[in-house]
Amino acid sequence: MQISDLPYPDPGVPDARSGPRFLLWLGRGQLGGQLKSLCWGMLHFSGIAGLPYAVGLGVDAVVDREPDRLLLVGALLLVIGVAISVGDAMLHRTAVTNWITAAARVQQLLARKTAELGSALTRRVAAGEVVAVSTGDVEKIGWFVEAVSRFLAAVFSVVLVCVGLLFFAPDLGVVVAVGVPLIALASLPLLPRATKRADVQREKAGRATELASDTVAGLRVLRGIGGEELFLGRYREASQEVRKAAVRSARMWALISAIQVVLPGALMITVVWYGATLVSDGRIAVGELVAAFSAVATLLYPLRHFEEIAMAYSFSRPSAKRAARVLSLTRTDAAERPARTEPVKAPPPGGDLYDPRTGLLAPAGRFTAVVCGDPDLAGRLAERLGGHPMDVAPAADAGAGDEAGAGTEAGAGADPAPAPSVLLGGVALDELELDTARTLVLVQDKDPVLLSGTLRELFDVPASAAVDPAAALGAAQCADVLDALLQSAPDGTEDPMDARITERGRSLSGGQRQRLALARSLVTDPEVLVLDEPTSAVDSHTEARIANGIAALRAGRTTVVLASSPLLLDRADRVVLIDGDTVAAVGTHRELLHREPRYRAVVTRETDEEQRLGGPELTELAEALTEIEESA
């Protein structure tokens, strides 16, 4: 795999049962790259391992006054130097390639899972945690994948040095062969504690990041209530907790690093002292002592990779566990349904949209308004109508439950049992391919997101091409939005479609962002369009014009609007009241005002006492207000 080949055409199906299994799956997917890195690493470390013996032979040649042998040793040193240089360069190249490809694969998997689950993902995993997994955790996972081949090559060189010394200088070789494994294993008892402290640090850092993200997102509100200093103080406290945890973690890793320096130094002193004794007794030559000393000195470099692989695994294991936890989430109802051997075909155009759970029916080609007394129920219903999962669950044996991320609200807002799938033309949306289902039914949330870029890029979305952007902008009453974008655009920008939108549309008001998002949804021209409170942030006059624009532009197309505004409800072909999670009444807006107290209570915001005393009068008042707003 080359970096130029990224992204993967298909990142594969990960083994997300646990963090270590996920790391093993990643490694198996890059065996070719790991073998290349291992081969170059063996060349590099073999050169390093052979350097002491060449030096020892050179010393012996000088002592024995054999210039021809010294020339051969010089040529051998040249070959070793080339092997070290070429091996090091190619090892670094292949190892970094392994790191980048592993990180790219994980990011593709996370992006695919996010697109599959949609907004249901944040019901089980905090948005900040998803961002942390796709950024910092991805780098740590890639680090471990990169370090594996270097570690194996280092093990090879250590074994090569020890075995070589046993043949070159047996007396000293025994000392080195016994001491090196003790040095390599000396840090193992400290790794669990170091890992635990690193986990605490990451958990506190995640909470601080989430707090900072929430503060920045709500900065305008905080300024309005004078709460900046309060939240700044909270973030200071959180950041100090992170600092203390980082210091405690660094102390443990410093101790491990100190062990990796002190013990090899002690081994080197032992070899020199014992070797000098053997030389003085005439049992070994001076060249053998120099070779043994050089071998121990060069072992310091490969032994560092033992510490690196321990650190890489201890940091990547919890990161891999978090990534596996996100990747193991599945659509509950889809997970329980038997797998199909063949994909379900899309229904023919012109089918009704039906929700078996609530009994809601949206006839094909009609403008249907839905009134829910509970805003949360309206949001869940909108997602269900779009074939989005109402709840997500971890795959079997995921092992994700033992590490709930900070801010996670498991099961928050979820239904107690999997809901029956919504039907479009008699076909269950959840049984369709995900891309097909989302092409047929588009759901606009009550809080849609605008990405940064030009207005032209905003409307560059999969669409039927039947609706022109200008018509969609006109139906959504975006004339003032276009003027505002042109005023803030650089000099020379005359076409509002070339004006840039800042991140999340922060330079626009809430109503302007809402109208741009509505226009984007209208441009797509799906077979079924579901809008959740599309005019909640605009004034009544604009709302009336938007209602007319939606009705005109979507004529003959199935449109479902979840709202409680009389202006929108009065323009719908039919209105459905949802009460207690089921359909309670169906009719037109004016019919339901007259005959359905529960509907009137939601639309007019009347209390129980007002319903008892003045229901008819309030109905007449509501109709009069509707007529006044229409005339305006």
Side-chain angles (χ1 to χ4, degrees):
M1 187 69 184
Q2 301 294 326
I3 295 178
S4 58
D5 298 329
L6 297 175
Y8 286 93
D10 180 11
V13 179
D15 186 349
R17 289 176 290 177
S18 66
R21 287 177 182 271
F22 180 61
L23 291 174
L24 181 61
W25 178 83
L26 278 176
R28 287 201 307 264
Q30 295 181 211
L31 284 179
Q34 292 287 0
L35 288 176
K36 287 181 182 179
S37 185
L38 177 60
C39 290
W40 289 115
M42 290 173 66
L43 176 64
H44 172 62
F45 284 105
S46 295
I48 293 176
L51 193 60
Y53 307 116
V55 172
L57 292 174
V59 172
D60 285 339
V62 172
V63 172
D64 296 339
R65 298 181 182 276
E66 298 182 3
D68 293 338
R69 192 169 67 171
L70 187 60
L71 288 176
L72 292 176
V73 171
L76 178 61
L77 287 173
L78 179 61
V79 172
I80 290 175
V82 172
I84 293 174
S85 301
V86 174
D88 188 27
M90 296 306 298
L91 172 62
H92 179 73
R93 177 186 177 89
T94 53
V96 171
T97 300
N98 290 334
W99 172 39
I100 293 176
T101 51
R105 186 193 293 270
V106 177
Q107 286 180 325
Q108 281 185 256
L109 291 170
L110 291 170
R112 186 175 68 181
K113 180 60 64 174
T114 303
E116 175 187 342
L117 299 178
S119 60
L121 175 62
T122 55
R123 292 207 187 106
R124 295 293 300 274
V125 182
E129 184 177 351
V130 177
V131 174
V133 171
S134 60
T135 53
D137 286 340
V138 165
E139 292 186 2
K140 293 180 178 66
I141 293 171
W143 177 28
F144 175 74
V145 174
E146 171 202 7
V148 167
S149 55
R150 289 206 308 267
F151 167 71
L152 294 177
V155 171
F156 171 78
S157 70
V158 169
V159 173
L160 192 63
V161 168
C162 293
V163 173
L165 276 179
L166 286 174
F167 286 96
F168 190 78
D171 294 328
L172 291 176
V174 172
V175 176
V176 174
V178 172
V180 167
L182 293 177
I183 294 173
L185 300 175
S187 301
L188 287 182
L190 299 176
L191 287 179
R193 184 176 298 180
T195 301
K196 183 177 180 180
R197 292 189 179 185
D199 290 344
V200 172
Q201 175 194 348
R202 280 189 291 272
E203 180 181 353
K204 293 182 179 295
R207 291 176 180 173
T209 301
E210 186 176 351
L211 178 61
S213 177
D214 291 343
T215 302
V216 171
L219 190 58
R220 181 178 298 179
V221 177
L222 291 177
R223 286 176 175 171
I225 62 176
E228 306 103 300
E229 291 299 326
L230 175 62
F231 276 82
L232 181 59
R234 291 181 181 177
Y235 181 73
R236 282 199 187 103
E237 293 177 2
S239 62
Q240 287 302 313
E241 291 293 328
V242 174
R243 181 187 63 81
K244 293 176 183 177
V247 170
R248 293 187 75 246
S249 178
R251 286 173 180 168
M252 186 57 63
W253 289 111
L255 177 59
I256 293 175
S257 298
I259 291 175
Q260 294 295 322
V261 173
V262 172
L263 293 185
L267 178 61
M268 187 178 300
I269 293 173
T270 302
V271 168
V272 172
W273 173 79
Y274 183 55
T277 303
L278 295 177
V279 170
S280 63
D281 293 341
R283 296 169 58 184
I284 63 172
V286 175
E288 294 176 337
L289 174 60
V290 172
F293 172 79
S294 301
V296 175
T298 56
L299 280 178
L300 294 176
Y301 174 61
L303 283 175
R304 290 177 188 170
H305 292 80
F306 286 69
E307 177 189 357
E308 182 192 14
I309 196 65
M311 292 182 65
Y313 180 73
S314 63
F315 277 92
S316 65
R317 182 185 57 80
S319 296
K321 180 185 282 189
R322 283 191 290 268
R325 177 170 178 268
V326 174
L327 295 175
S328 66
L329 298 176
T330 60
R331 302 171 68 163
T332 302
D333 47 2
E336 295 180 353
R337 185 180 299 116
R340 291 181 175 269
T341 57
E342 297 181 0
V344 178
K345 294 183 179 180
D352 298 338
L353 185 68
Y354 176 66
D355 178 23
R357 176 157 187 171
T358 60
L360 171 64
L361 174 67
R366 304 282 297 280
F367 184 177
T368 303
V370 181
V371 177
C372 299
D374 182 4
D376 292 334
L377 172 61
R380 296 196 300 270
L381 178 59
E383 292 180 356
R384 194 159 64 236
L385 291 177
H388 294 251
M390 282 309 302
D391 192 13
V392 288
D397 302 325
D402 54 353
E403 184 183 3
T408 301
E409 297 178 1
D415 296 327
S421 177
V422 171
L423 305 177
L424 178 61
V427 178
L429 286 178
D430 284 349
E431 294 183 357
L432 296 172
E433 292 290 336
L434 192 62
D435 292 342
T436 303
R438 294 189 177 175
T439 301
L440 294 172
V441 182
L442 173 66
V443 178
Q444 177 178 304
D445 297 331
K446 64 178 62 179
D447 296 315
V449 175
L450 301 180
L451 301 179
S452 60
T454 64
L455 193 58
R456 195 182 308 279
E457 292 170 343
L458 178 69
F459 287 95
D460 186 17
V461 293
S464 67
V467 177
D468 185 77
L473 289 167
Q477 301 298 310
C478 293
D480 63 315
V481 184
L482 300 181
D483 293 339
L485 289 174
L486 277 179
Q487 290 177 3
S488 60
D491 294 339
T493 303
E494 298 180 355
D495 188 349
M497 298 299 290
D498 294 328
R500 294 196 63 82
I501 302 172
T502 56
E503 179 189 3
R504 300 179 69 90
R506 297 188 187 280
S507 61
L508 303 173
S509 67
Q512 291 173 328
R513 290 196 299 268
Q514 194 175 59
R515 281 177 282 160
L516 277 181
L518 174 60
R520 178 180 58 187
S521 299
L522 293 173
V523 162
T524 61
D525 188 39
E527 183 175 336
V528 179
L529 177 61
V530 180
L531 304 172
D532 186 7
E533 294 288 356
T535 58
S536 59
V538 300
D539 60 81
S540 58
H541 299 294
T542 305
E543 185 177 31
R545 292 193 293 269
I546 291 176
N548 289 329
I550 294 175
L553 196 63
R554 293 286 301 173
R557 306 287 274 169
T558 307
T559 306
V560 180
V561 177
L562 292 97
S564 59
S565 167
L567 294 173
L568 278 173
L569 300 174
D570 194 47
R571 284 155 180 79
D573 297 325
R574 66 197 301 267
V575 180
V576 180
L577 173 65
I578 304 291
D579 184 49
D581 224 13
T582 58
V583 172
V586 180
T588 65
H589 169 60
R590 297 174 188 267
E591 290 173 353
L592 293 178
L593 276 178
H594 280 286
R595 63 180 173 86
E596 184 53 59
R598 289 173 295 180
Y599 177 83
R600 188 168 57 247
V602 175
V603 174
T604 63
R605 308 293 195 273
E606 67 182 31
T607 64
D608 294 339
E609 184 67 17
E610 290 171 335
Q611 291 183 50
R612 186 175 63 85
L613 296 178
E617 290 78 3
L618 287 174
T619 300
E620 294 177 2
L621 178 60
E623 291 180 347
L625 290 175
T626 301
E627 293 175 356
I628 292 173
E629 289 172 339
E630 287 176 349
S631 62

